[in-house]
Amino acid sequence: MPFRLRALVPAGLAVIAAAPLAAQSAPRPPASAAVRRAVETITESDVRTRIAVIAADSMRGRLTPSPELEQTAAYIAAEFQRFGLRPGGDSGSYLQRYRIQRTQVDSTSFVMMMGRGAMQRWTVGQDAGVGGTLPLTDGAVTAPVVLLVGMPSDTARPFGAVDVRGAIVVQSLPAAPRLRGGPQAALIAKGVAAGVRGWVFLVNVSSAALATQARNALRPQLAVGGPAAGGPAQLPILLVRDSSAIDVLRAAGEDLAALRDTTSGAVRAMNGVTFTISARRRVLAEESAPNVVGILEGSDPQLRDEHVVFSAHMDHTGVAGAGSCSAVGADSICNGADDNASGTVGVVELAEAFATLTPHPRRSLIFLAVSGEERGLWGSGFYAEHPAAPLAQTVADLNMDMIGRNWRDTIVVIGKEHSTLGEVANRVTRQHPELGMQLIDDIWPAQNFYTRSDHFNFARRGVPILFFFNGVHPDYHRPTDSPDRIDAEKEARIVRMVFYIGLEVANATARPQWNPESRRQIVADGGN
């Protein structure tokens, strides 16, 4: 997640957190001895010990890809094997691997806009920048233009009645957009589904700013091999300065000042105008990275083919000078204890607890530790395209990302309002006041955390999700996010709470159901 630290607790939350837990509890049937024994395997000591392993200095920040990430994956796989989980990875192993390519934009790449007697050509790497990842395919694409001004208000039908199949979308924005998750990525995904062949941003930035972005595009970069994971599909996505297109826009009857008023969200075909994109990348080298997948078979013959996923990302940002890690004094290792050794350990603790439970839950359980989250949700995107069990038979994803810091008695659960999973989570947590833990809704909606962790790759493919998250803090993506700052006792209570929620979902006869409006807004096909 890109760093953007804000106040963690808005006015009023203290009142919520102070409400007596006993007053919120509801009677519950006593847990069986088997359930109690399983829950009791989730301990503060285990949490602290496992985080110390995964977030040790010797793991050097677990960058994707790196030898240390491989060591982390091997450690988790060994734990899954010790618990007796069935391997869910490649060739009977616990590891699922995806290709990573080191690529570079071809210096001959260009884009060109023509129409009604006017023409403008931009060279990629000089006066045109790159958004997303250019495809590897050769050859130019020339297509008619659909103009989009700003962001559409109707996210379900962003192009209205305009047919974008076979077109290149030219979108006017005040600044370069964020393409990893968020509304813009969702919009591009809908364009891809509708048959868009390319995307060009007209951005209102200085020539110097655009030139810097353009030069950066020529640097070698890492990208997931094959279809993009967790971000916009690999169609050509480029950026040009809007004022450099003024002659073609004027010839087409478009006024630059009007286009800069991006509040309209207008969309229209630019009749008589075409865009040519001749932009590609070349592969310099290929590597791979792991996910870790363990499966616990369900006990019910009718429900064992359905699955509940418990997920977390095991990677982090590496060391200073490698990923997005910045040194603090002499400390150059971003340990990532909270982000996200905490969530990864939560998955391991849950795997051990459920493996201890006899009988097993009715539905099967998948324990998933992914990599590449910090690069753009790579590993979860790959898993969603190549799941260990069909996503149509995956009833829920419970994702944990940063659960070891901040408030002792509160955890934010993002996505509660979007499905009946929220009702389950609220009810189950009320039934367990001994955990001293309260669930609250997303208190940072402007930061769009819903799209910024691995659950999003499940949600946009129709799987109901809950995202357990304690918010960022001053140590986020810094070497000071170290094991000694983790509140292991609090995390153990959160993981126990997730156990009870997961157990309820896995044993319920009915599957969780989407709120229809949420499904329409979030799921990539609009729920159709």
Side-chain angles (χ1 to χ4, degrees), residues 32 41 86 102 228 250 265 304 306 329 367 431 440-441:
S32 71
T41 67
R86 176 164 62 84
R102 187 173 298 276
R250 185 184 296 118
R304 66 164 58 114
E306 296 183 354
F367 301 93
Q431 291 173 347
I440 60 172
D441 295 334

Side-chain angles (χ1 to χ4, degrees), residues 32-42 353 356-358 496 499:
S32 71
V35 169
R36 290 197 302 272
R37 284 194 298 270
V39 170
E40 287 168 0
T41 67
I42 303 169
T356 303
L357 182 60
T358 304
R496 288 183 173 201
F499 175 93

Side-chain angles (χ1 to χ4, degrees), residues 441-498:
D441 295 334
D442 185 359
I443 58 175
W444 315 281
Q447 298 199 46
N448 208 29
F449 285 121
Y450 187 90
T451 67
R452 291 168 58 185
S453 190
D454 297 292
H455 60 278
F456 184 59
N457 277 319
F458 290 88
R460 68 192 187 97
R461 290 171 173 85
V463 178
I465 66 93
L466 292 177
F467 172 27
F468 299 85
F469 177 53
N470 58 211
V472 297
H473 40 72
D475 300 317
Y476 177 68
H477 282 197
R478 291 164 60 85
T480 47
D481 182 10
S482 50
D484 60 295
R485 302 196 179 193
I486 292 293
D487 186 341
E489 190 276 335
K490 168 206 165 179
E491 174 166 342
R493 286 185 285 122
I494 291 173
V495 176
R496 288 183 173 201
M497 180 189 68
V498 177

Side-chain angles (χ1 to χ4, degrees), residues 309-322:
V309 174
F310 299 90
S311 63
H313 75 89
M314 59 184 168
D315 65 306
H316 193 54
T317 60
V319 299

Side-chain angles (χ1 to χ4, degrees), residues 352-403:
E352 181 176 24
F354 278 111
T356 303
L357 182 60
T358 304
H360 292 167
R362 298 174 69 193
R363 289 184 173 87
S364 297
L365 309 180
I366 295 176
F367 301 93
L368 175 65
V370 298
S371 60
E373 191 269 359
E374 301 289 359
R375 298 284 197 181
L377 312 186
W378 284 358
S380 58
F382 185 85
Y383 177 88
E385 294 288 345
H386 306 86
L391 291 192
Q393 294 295 96
T394 301
V395 305
D397 172 50
L398 306 183
N399 185 53
M400 293 170 285
D401 192 346
M402 302 177 65
I403 58 170

